[in-house]
Amino acid sequence: MGKKLEGNGLLESSRMMIKEQMQRIPEGQREILRRKQPVIDERKREEMERTLSLSLREHVRITVVLWDSLEEMKLSGFVTSIHAHTREIKLQWADEWKWIGLDSILEVHPG
């Protein structure tokens, strides 16, 4: 934690500030600002998992779109590990990496 994210240069911990600010908004108004996580159908989920596996096997760069209740976040890199039992992938870019839960991935694109 505390490492700079690529692109916007913000610290990882700075994203938490937004969530803290959300807690100060009255409960009735929070729901207006929050987004619901979309349900991904089985066919699309299988297609995303094939792309993740391809990245691991063939060292193909991918971009993943992650769900968050406030915004979508895109990360680009290479899958270096897949843990089926915990449903997580390890995405690496430059000298940094991040474990990502499969359930938080909305989209996966090559490149």
Side-chain angles (χ1 to χ4, degrees):
M1 293 271 175
K3 289 194 175 238
K4 286 190 176 187
L5 292 176
E6 220 170 76
N8 62 12
L10 297 174
L11 295 177
E12 285 178 311
S13 60
S14 66
R15 284 190 67 228
M16 297 307 291
M17 192 63 170
I18 294 171
K19 291 181 181 182
E20 290 170 2
Q21 290 170 343
M22 279 287 289
Q23 292 174 348
R24 288 183 276 199
I25 297 172
E27 186 65 40
Q29 294 176 356
R30 275 189 231 166
E31 293 307 313
I32 295 169
L33 299 175
R34 283 203 173 116
R35 300 177 313 120
K36 302 282 187 224
Q37 183 171 6
V39 176
I40 305 217
D41 68 42
E42 193 60 33
R43 196 181 98 222
K44 184 175 180 181
R45 176 77 54 203
E46 288 173 1
E47 182 181 318
M48 291 189 315
E49 290 173 0
R50 278 194 301 273
T51 304
L52 294 170
S53 295
L54 176 69
S55 177
L56 178 65
R57 283 191 325 271
E58 304 291 330
H59 202 64
V60 173
R61 177 178 286 276
I62 59 166
T63 299
V64 294
V65 179
L66 304 175
W67 179 84
D68 185 283
S69 63
L70 299 175
E71 64 183 348
E72 289 180 0
M73 183 171 61
K74 291 183 181 180
L75 293 175
S76 184
F78 302 92
V79 175
T80 58
S81 184
I82 297 176
H83 286 181
H85 62 285
T86 59
R87 297 190 44 76
E88 294 178 308
I89 64 162
K90 184 178 182 182
L91 189 69
Q92 183 167 352
W93 61 97
D95 291 332
E96 297 184 46
W97 52 267
K98 179 177 179 79
W99 283 102
I100 301 169
L102 292 177
D103 295 332
S104 66
I105 298 174
L106 296 177
E107 299 175 25
V108 178
H109 305 284

